[in-house]
Amino acid sequence: MSDASDDKQSRTATATPAGPRPEELRFFGTTWVDHSGGYGLRRAGVAVGSLAAVGAGCLVLRFAYQGLEIAKIGGFVNTLVVVMFAICSAIAFRKTWEGFVHRPADPAREEALRSLKAIGFVGSLLAYFVRSLSEAPGEKLRRTEYEEALARFEKRRAKSTGNPAGRPAPAGRPADRSPGRKRPKRG
């Protein structure tokens, strides 16, 4: 039984690629790396789904507005609600779009804006729709980070696979001492 588990471990060790792994995107997994696994269909699905969700969200907001009209709360409150949803949607669109381009500088501030983005969900969904027309939402950011990580990994690997005899001697060690010779024990 130990032979089978050792064989399985050796297969998984050789099957796992060395180096950085790409970060998964919602709805896409890691298919954004090489645009495989139905990437185009997934992008189309995200575009259609987010646009359908925008339509459904606007319909729900319309029903809510009609409820305010039926309640006869007043023109000022009705206007205030419309303006509030418009502003929250604009802020949510901008923040969602910025999230596709770069990581937030202050995660605590992003967490504080979470409720505002929830109120302006139509803006976030519109950002998903517009971005999915050109790429997977967040793909550009993840691709840049992934390529930088690959470059750093390759640079480190190139340094570590060189001939150790050709490297300069580390500080504190005499250069004339051969690397394979052991020091005599003192005692």
Side-chain angles (χ1 to χ4, degrees), residues 65-187:
Y65 183 77
Q66 285 177 342
L68 289 174
E69 284 182 339
I70 291 170
K72 295 186 181 183
I73 295 210
F76 177 71
V77 173
N78 288 348
T79 305
L80 194 63
V81 167
V82 170
V83 169
M84 185 243 346
F85 272 106
I87 290 172
C88 288
S89 291
I91 292 171
F93 180 91
R94 191 179 110 236
K95 288 297 183 182
T96 303
W97 192 266
E98 286 175 358
F100 296 148
V101 179
H102 57 80
R103 300 264 182 195
D106 187 10
R109 184 162 187 243
E110 287 296 315
E111 187 65 30
L113 291 174
R114 187 180 217 168
S115 60
L116 188 118
K117 288 169 71 174
I119 293 169
F121 67 96
V122 172
S124 291
L125 291 169
L126 279 173
Y128 259 87
F129 169 71
V130 172
R131 195 60 169 201
S132 64
L133 294 177
S134 62
E135 66 177 10
E139 178 181 346
K140 183 178 182 180
L141 171 67
R142 301 309 193 286
R143 186 171 303 282
T144 303
E145 291 174 347
Y146 179 60
E147 287 172 355
E148 288 172 358
L150 277 176
R152 285 192 306 268
F153 175 75
E154 289 298 324
K155 189 176 179 181
R156 279 194 314 264
R157 193 170 78 173
K159 282 183 180 179
S160 66
T161 59
N163 184 358
R167 292 188 192 144
R173 190 169 115 187
D176 61 338
R177 189 173 149 235
S178 65
R181 197 177 95 199
K182 293 184 180 178
R183 288 186 180 179
K185 290 186 179 181
R186 295 184 188 188

Side-chain angles (χ1 to χ4, degrees), residues 31-56:
T31 61
W32 60 267
V33 175
D34 55 0
H35 294 185
S36 64
Y39 171 81
L41 290 174
R42 289 177 190 219
R43 244 183 61 201
V46 167
V48 169
S50 60
L51 193 58
V54 165

Side-chain angles (χ1 to χ4, degrees), residues 4-18 21:
S5 63
D6 290 339
D7 184 42
K8 185 178 179 182
Q9 287 176 348
S10 66
R11 277 188 280 145
T12 53
T14 58
T16 306
R21 304 186 120 197

